[in-house]
Each structure stands twice: as structure tokens, then as C-alpha cells.
Amino acid sequence: MIVPLPRIHLLLDFDSTLTHASTLPLIYNIGFTHQHSSHHISRAYASSSHPLFCSPSPPTYSWSHISALYTHSYVHHTHAYLPPAPLRKTLEQETAWLESLRDVERESYERVEGSGVFKSVRAKDMLQGAEAAVKCGQLRMRDGWTRVMGMARRRGGEGRGGKVGVVSVGWSGEFIRGCLRAALVELLEASESGERRQEVESEVDIEDIVIRANEILGGEEGKMSRYFEENERGGKGGIWTARDKRRVMEMLLRREQGRADRDGSMAVYVGDSPTDLECLLAADVGICMREEGEMSGEQRALEETLQRIGTECQWIGDMKPTDLGARSTDLGNIKQLWWTTNFDQICDSYLFQAAINSESNDTCNSDTRTTG
């Protein structure tokens, strides 16, 4: 009897995980450019046709200014918070620190809204900006991203394949989906053979990917969404902290599995920063994305956090069958995560190769029974 392999629900961070760098500057500059273009058009229109027309002023804050304000707020909070990082040795202490950043993130969110940078920005503007960023090389996807999505979707057999989702504290699900579409088109155009193009097309369905991020609502006030009607403190809030990301991940898993338990499926989460910590530990398999060579600041911060709280992080290529046993429901007892520098390494690891070997053995056994 052939026992179906467990489905894999693959959940991914976007910035610096699926991509090689943060996309927040790109998204902010889409709005910044839109506001300045609209301002110049309005001024020209007013001077030529409507002398009494008063055009709104464009935002005065550049991305570098917004970023500097966030850094100042973050550093001030870091210096005031106790215990300081070197003395935080438990997961409980670290998750409390990450959750304490909620006000820092909220203030930054409201600062961006107050700048007016996203006034009247439409979904179409986000999609066009995403396509331009991919085409000009400002945004690069990591190697193997379509391959890992395809393997996750096929895992479990016909009609039982897993789902792929993106969970981000960044802005604009529209931008994220636009980037994925444009990157897929670029990959197809670069394929040297028709066979490879068909293979890529079969691996990923961009429209089937579930994306959860902070949305840009645009409109006259340039507001952004509040994903949670009620956050940890009882008010509305966006996807701002590590705990928020974990809540979103668990909601997606419950929706896909039909009930709160795992239903025989396996949740795999890939992320790169401390904001991904709770998701990495809550998943059945948590994988940290790292740059080849020198790690980014966020990647180093996550590595240092794992070392402080006593969680080992091993290269995904060293995964063995015994590493895929049942995980503890107590996140504090989870002492094993994995790291990789691209998605091809994940695909070539035991996590997916076990499925390929099993399917191959099943085929051989079936052939033996038939010929015997």
C-alpha cells in the first residue's frame, strides 16, 4: 500500500527572503514619485486652465528621512529597554522584547501615513512599480523560488498538494504579487528551451499564492490597512511584530487544514530576521535565509538571537530523516532550526528529496508487482 506523503504548507517572508533585499524603499519611492508627478501636473493644469485651483503639496519626507526617524526611535527604545540584549537568554524574554517594538512600528506606520506619500496611489501604480523594479534589476528574487513552490504544491499527491503563502510586515500585497508576476515573466523569457519554460510554468501559480501584508489603501488621506480588527492590546493594528506574523501564519494554516490541528500536513516557514522568530519556531520546519558570504544586519541579528536563547541553526543540507520528527508545541523547547542561502538548497535537502525517493520507490514496487 502506498501511504501518501504529508502535504507541505510553505510559508515565506518576502523582503530579503524571497528577494535579496528590502523592498520598502522601492515602495515608498513609488508613492513619492507619484505625489511629485501629480503635483507638477496639477500646477501646470492650474496655471493654464483654473487659476483658482489649489494643488496639494507633495510629501517633503524622502525615504532616507523616514528611515532615519525610524532608526532614531528604534535606538532610543533599545537603550531604554530592560533587560538589554546580552542578558536576554530565554525565548520568553526575547519574544517580550520583539512585542515591545509594537509602538515603534505603529509610530513609523502613522508617520508614513502622515507624510501623504500614498495619497491617491492605486493598485495599478503598485503593479507598475513592481514590474519596473524587476525589469531594471532593483529587485532580484533568490535562486530556486519557483522550484520550491512547485515542489510544495505537488507534495502529497494529486488533489492533496500543499499551499504556498507569503506573510510580510512590509507594505502592499499588490506590490508583492506584481513582483512575483514580473519575476516569473522574466524567468520564462530567459529560459533557453521550450521544455524549461513549460517546467517553470507548471511549478508556480502566482494567482494561487496567498499573500498577507499591510495594504496601501491610497485615497485622499493616503492611509494603510489595519489587518487586525483587534491586536494584542485590544485596538486595531497592522502586521507589525513577530507575534502578528505568527498569528497570521496560524490563521492561514487553520484555514487550509480545516481545523486547528495539523491534519497530517507539515508547515514549513522560511524567514530572515528577528521578526520571523516566532514563525520559524512555530512551524514544523523553520529555515533561516542567509546571504552567501557576509550576512545582512537583520540576518546577523537573528543568528545572534538564536545563539543567546540556545537554539541551534544547522545547514539544511545536513538534514536527516530523524530530524523530521514531531515538534514540541512549547516553542521554548524547540532547539533546532535550519539555514540556507537559496531555495535550491531546500529543494535538494532531505525535506523534499525524501518525497522524490519515496515516489520513485513506490513506482519501482508497482512495476515489480505488475511484472511479477
Side-chain angles (χ1 to χ4, degrees):
M1 182 178 73
I2 299 175
V3 179
L5 289 161
R7 292 181 297 164
I8 282 183
H9 293 305
L10 178 65
L11 295 163
L12 307 158
D13 173 52
F14 187 68
D15 282 9
S16 301
T17 296
L18 269 166
T19 70
H20 276 279
S22 172
T23 62
L24 290 182
L26 300 177
I27 297 171
Y28 188 88
N29 284 326
I30 291 172
F32 193 81
T33 301
H34 176 82
Q35 299 307 324
H36 280 264
S37 297
S38 299
H39 180 67
H40 292 316
I41 291 170
S42 297
R43 284 172 62 88
Y45 183 68
S47 62
S48 62
S49 304
H50 293 273
L52 297 179
F53 180 80
C54 181
S55 63
S57 299
T60 56
Y61 290 165
S62 65
W63 170 252
S64 60
H65 185 70
I66 289 287
S67 180
L69 290 172
Y70 174 82
T71 300
H72 175 79
S73 179
Y74 180 90
V75 170
H76 177 77
H77 180 75
T78 300
H79 289 164
Y81 187 85
L82 295 174
L87 299 182
R88 296 198 296 268
K89 303 291 187 179
T90 68
L91 177 63
E92 183 179 13
Q93 289 175 323
E94 196 61 30
T95 54
W97 150 252
L98 291 169
E99 185 58 21
S100 78
L101 292 169
R102 178 174 298 280
D103 285 341
V104 175
E105 301 298 334
R106 177 185 54 77
E107 288 168 4
S108 178
Y109 205 72
E110 292 173 351
R111 193 179 297 125
V112 171
E113 288 180 320
S115 75
V117 71
F118 293 128
K119 286 182 180 179
S120 303
V121 170
R122 300 159 297 176
K124 181 177 73 172
D125 300 315
M126 287 291 109
L127 294 174
Q128 290 175 345
E131 183 178 355
V134 172
K135 282 186 174 180
C136 71
Q138 288 180 301
L139 185 147
R140 295 187 302 116
M141 304 292 288
R142 289 193 188 271
D143 291 344
W145 70 277
T146 60
R147 184 182 173 204
V148 76
M149 289 182 180
M151 294 184 83
R153 290 177 64 220
R154 291 191 297 271
R155 175 71 172 263
E158 189 66 30
R160 297 186 70 254
K163 279 286 189 180
V164 177
V166 174
V167 182
S168 176
V169 294
W171 307 328
S172 184
E174 291 286 354
F175 180 85
I176 291 173
R177 199 176 301 278
C179 290
L180 296 175
R181 286 178 187 148
L184 180 60
V185 169
E186 187 176 69
L187 198 58
L188 292 171
E189 291 175 347
S191 299
E192 297 180 355
S193 68
E195 183 177 340
R196 176 56 184 153
R197 280 194 292 274
Q198 289 180 350
E199 182 182 345
V200 172
E201 286 178 327
S202 68
E203 285 176 341
V204 59
D205 180 355
I206 301 299
E207 308 314 313
D208 191 50
I209 298 171
V210 180
I211 299 174
R212 296 291 182 267
N214 298 300
E215 291 297 343
I216 293 168
L217 303 178
E220 293 183 1
E221 297 182 347
K223 294 292 186 180
M224 294 189 286
S225 67
R226 301 294 189 273
Y227 185 84
F228 297 107
E229 286 297 320
E230 184 173 343
N231 63 26
E232 294 290 323
R233 299 182 186 176
K236 291 185 178 182
I239 307 173
W240 296 335
T241 66
R243 190 161 300 167
D244 291 337
K245 291 193 80 170
R246 181 184 170 191
R247 286 180 67 192
V248 173
M249 182 182 83
E250 291 176 341
M251 289 164 62
L252 291 178
L253 290 174
R254 283 196 296 270
R255 191 187 78 167
E256 292 303 326
Q257 295 158 352
R259 56 179 185 268
D261 64 19
R262 290 294 165 87
D263 194 27
S265 61
M266 181 184 295
V268 177
Y269 185 87
V270 188
D272 74 295
S273 75
T275 312
D276 297 302
L277 179 64
E278 292 198 33
C279 288
L280 288 165
L281 293 172
D284 294 303
V285 177
I287 305 172
C288 305
M289 185 62 73
R290 295 177 178 176
E291 296 298 325
E292 293 188 37
E294 186 176 355
M295 287 188 283
S296 70
E298 288 288 271
Q299 292 165 359
R300 283 197 305 274
L302 177 58
E303 181 188 41
E304 291 165 2
T305 296
L306 296 176
Q307 290 174 350
R308 279 192 284 103
I309 65 175
T311 299
E312 182 182 0
C313 197
Q314 194 173 348
W315 180 52
I316 190 71
D318 291 335
M319 180 181 281
K320 304 181 297 296
T322 52
D323 294 320
L324 292 178
R327 296 264 281 198
S328 171
T329 55
D330 181 358
L331 300 193
N333 289 331
I334 296 172
K335 301 300 180 182
Q336 178 67 71
L337 294 178
W338 306 92
W339 68 265
T340 184
T341 58
N342 60 58
F343 292 104
D344 281 326
Q345 291 177 357
I346 298 175
C347 295
D348 294 335
S349 73
Y350 184 81
L351 179 62
F352 282 108
Q353 291 304 311
I356 294 173
N357 294 336
S358 175
E359 290 164 1
S360 176
N361 291 337
D362 289 338
T363 302
C364 291
N365 291 337
S366 176
D367 291 344
T368 302
R369 289 192 295 270
T370 302
T371 55

